[in-house]
């Protein structure tokens, strides 16, 4: 072990490890449920590998926290999953789910590694990043082989290199002139956000069917409606530039009302998806030159942020929201001593 690994963890490192532990404990519940119901011989080993990896990473973090005298998060346990519940999703759902987990984790772990300084923590997140990339590659190949992958759209190859030479290039709200066609960067963000919202629709549908609390069911229904609206808006932007929008995956949700997961886990899962969406929308807004797109992403980010705030209220109300480690309240300590 290098000398730097003996240094105390920074706040960023504690936060990244804490969030990874909590998220992996949730994913572990989803994977073990999927393993119980998945019948596809190609998908089963992918689920098994992801399940084992989450356990290994949790054990690594547990060892680090114990060495630093940091409390181990509670996260999610076998009490939050019912493997005997009826099948809620088709096998294809779990393949698409693993694919999106790999894609989202690639971005997350790259960020975690870049804000870590201790050598063992950086090495851990590099290893997590490699595993996430491998998961994405394996699931993408499997989806291609099964004819399930929704490929990004094609455009006609450009004939020459051009430079922007007019202010109208940014116009998207103009009532007089025509909007310019989408460029490839804008297309890629719209496509990705349609794709991930389609998964969100499926998850909200399944969770809404099986949640025990009426408030949670209503929350999932609202999330489904928001995701559907966002899919429609993004799809319209693509279609208006003669680009085909991705197809729907709704058929992967079955009609079961038997709850496989606790309401606590389902609420936390949606919260994680919202955080990822806000991050993607922010990147998309910054990368989109056409001003109607930037304005749309900003407006939709505010909408899902408000949705997330309402979800946090449900989590707090039910004492489901585990608090991350926080800095000491120095003013409180000073007042207490005096």
């Amino acid at each position: 072990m290098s000398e730097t690994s003996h240094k105390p963890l920074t706040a960023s490192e504690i936060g990244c490890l804490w969030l990874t532990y909590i998220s992996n404990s949730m994913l572990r519940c989803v994977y073990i449920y999927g393993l119980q119901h998945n019948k596809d011989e190609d998908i089963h080993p992918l689920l098994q590998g992801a399940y084992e990896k989450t356990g290994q990473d949790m054990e690594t973090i547990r060892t680090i926290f114990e060495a630093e005298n940091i409390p181990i998060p509670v996260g999610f346990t076998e009490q939050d999953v019912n493997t005997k519940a009826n099948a809620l999703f088709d096998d294809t759902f779990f393949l698409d789910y693993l694919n999106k987990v790999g894609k989202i984790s690639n971005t997350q772990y790259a960020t975690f590694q870049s804000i870590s300084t201790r050598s063992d923590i950086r090495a851990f997140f590099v290893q997590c990043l490699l595993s996430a990339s491998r998961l994405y590659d394996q699931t993408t190949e499997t989806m291609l082989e099964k004819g399930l992958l929704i490929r990004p759209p094609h455009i006609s190859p450009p004939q020459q290199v051009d430079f922007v030479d007019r202010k109208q290039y940014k116009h998207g709200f103009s009532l007089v002139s025509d909007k310019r066609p989408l460029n490839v960067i804008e297309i890629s963000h719209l496509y990705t956000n349609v794709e991930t919202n389609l998964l969100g629709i499926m998850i909200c549908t399944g969770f809404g069917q099986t949640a025990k609390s009426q408030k949670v069911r209503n929350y999932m229904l609202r999330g489904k409606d928001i995701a559907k609206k966002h899919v429609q808006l993004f799809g319209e932007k693509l279609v208006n530039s003669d680009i085909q929008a991705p197809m729907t995956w709704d058929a992967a949700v079955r009609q079961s009302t038997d709850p496989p997961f606790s309401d606590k886990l389902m609420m936390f899962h949606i919260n994680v998806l919202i955080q990822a969406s806000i991050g993607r929308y922010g990147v998309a807004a910054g990368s989109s030159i056409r001003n109607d797109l930037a304005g749309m992403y900003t407006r939709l980010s505010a909408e899902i942020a408000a949705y997330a705030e309402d979800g946090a209220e449900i989590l707090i109300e039910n004492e489901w929201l585990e608090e991350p480690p926080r800095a000491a309240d120095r003013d409180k300590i000073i007042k207490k001593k005096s």
Side-chain angles (χ1 to χ4, degrees), residues 50-103:
Y51 173 75
E52 293 172 358
K53 184 64 173 62
T54 55
Q56 293 166 5
D57 289 347
M58 289 172 67
E59 184 59 35
T60 298
I61 296 171
R62 190 180 294 112
T63 300
I64 294 171
F65 277 3
E66 287 174 348
E68 299 290 328
N69 294 318
I70 298 172
I72 308 300
V74 174
F76 300 92
T77 67
E78 63 276 1
Q79 296 180 352
D80 294 295
V81 57
N82 177 17
T83 57
K84 296 180 180 180
N86 294 329
L88 181 59
F89 302 106
D90 291 344
D91 288 348
T92 54
F93 166 84
F94 290 105
L95 180 58
D96 188 42
Y97 183 88
L98 287 170
N99 185 263
K100 299 304 181 295
V101 168
K103 183 181 291 189

Side-chain angles (χ1 to χ4, degrees), residues 212-225:
K212 294 179 180 179
S213 164
Q214 184 62 50
K215 185 173 283 190
V216 173
R217 289 198 293 272
N218 292 341
Y219 187 76
M220 296 302 169
L221 180 60
R222 178 181 166 197
K224 178 183 175 182
D225 290 341

Side-chain angles (χ1 to χ4, degrees), residues 58-320:
M58 289 172 67
E59 184 59 35
T60 298
I61 296 171
R62 190 180 294 112
T63 300
I64 294 171
F65 277 3
E66 287 174 348
E68 299 290 328
N69 294 318
I70 298 172
I72 308 300
V74 174
F76 300 92
T77 67
E78 63 276 1
Q79 296 180 352
D80 294 295
V81 57
N82 177 17
T83 57
K84 296 180 180 180
N86 294 329
L88 181 59
F89 302 106
D90 291 344
D91 288 348
T92 54
F93 166 84
F94 290 105
L95 180 58
D96 188 42
Y97 183 88
L98 287 170
N99 185 263
K100 299 304 181 295
V101 168
K103 183 181 291 189
I104 293 172
S105 297
N106 269 325
T107 303
Q108 184 181 55
Y109 287 136
T111 300
F112 287 176
Q113 192 269 343
S114 69
I115 59 178
S116 299
T117 55
R118 224 173 77 170
S119 61
D120 59 330
I121 308 303
R122 284 186 282 112
F124 171 70
F125 284 124
V126 166
Q127 179 261 332
C128 290
L129 177 58
L130 291 172
S131 296
S133 292
R134 191 178 306 114
L135 178 64
Y136 176 72
D137 285 343
Q138 291 173 335
T139 53
T140 298
E141 285 299 319
T142 303
M143 293 173 80
L144 280 169
E145 291 170 2
K146 291 181 173 293
L148 297 172
L149 186 71
I150 306 173
R151 297 174 64 90
H154 295 272
I155 65 167
S156 301
Q159 300 300 309
Q160 62 186 27
V161 175
D162 288 324
F163 289 86
V164 177
D165 61 355
R166 58 192 184 281
K167 293 181 179 179
Q168 286 82 3
Y169 188 83
K170 292 168 45 177
H171 287 179
F173 294 116
S174 176
L175 298 177
V176 180
S177 60
D178 292 332
K179 300 173 185 176
R180 64 156 173 82
L182 298 166
N183 64 41
V184 290
I185 297 173
E186 294 163 343
I187 291 171
S188 67
H189 285 295
L190 287 166
Y191 166 83
T192 299
N193 285 314
V194 168
E195 191 181 39
T196 51
N197 271 286
L198 288 173
L199 180 65
I201 291 170
M202 284 193 293
I203 292 175
C204 284
T205 299
F207 288 177
Q209 288 177 190
T210 57
K212 294 179 180 179
S213 164
Q214 184 62 50
K215 185 173 283 190
V216 173
R217 289 198 293 272
N218 292 341
Y219 187 76
M220 296 302 169
L221 180 60
R222 178 181 166 197
K224 178 183 175 182
D225 290 341
I226 290 173
K228 278 188 171 182
K229 183 181 81 171
H230 291 198
V231 166
Q232 182 179 0
L233 290 172
F234 298 147
E236 286 174 355
K237 296 294 184 182
L238 290 168
V239 171
N240 288 340
S241 283
D242 297 319
I243 303 295
Q244 179 63 47
M247 67 186 74
T248 180
W249 282 74
D250 284 359
V253 184
R254 299 185 181 181
Q255 297 183 12
S256 172
T257 57
D258 192 12
F261 307 114
S262 67
D263 286 6
K264 170 189 171 184
L265 185 146
M266 291 189 284
M267 286 298 301
F268 179 83
H269 198 306
I270 296 301
N271 184 262
V272 170
L273 291 178
I274 293 170
Q275 291 176 17
S277 292
I278 291 174
R280 287 195 309 272
Y281 287 8
V283 172
S287 303
S288 301
I289 301 177
R290 223 173 72 175
N291 53 18
D292 63 322
L293 298 179
M296 175 187 66
Y297 284 122
T298 301
R299 185 178 72 255
L300 298 184
S301 293
E303 180 180 28
I304 58 177
Y307 177 61
E309 185 175 349
D310 292 341
E313 289 296 324
I314 295 175
L315 287 164
I316 294 171
E317 179 182 299
N318 290 278
E319 298 183 353
W320 292 336

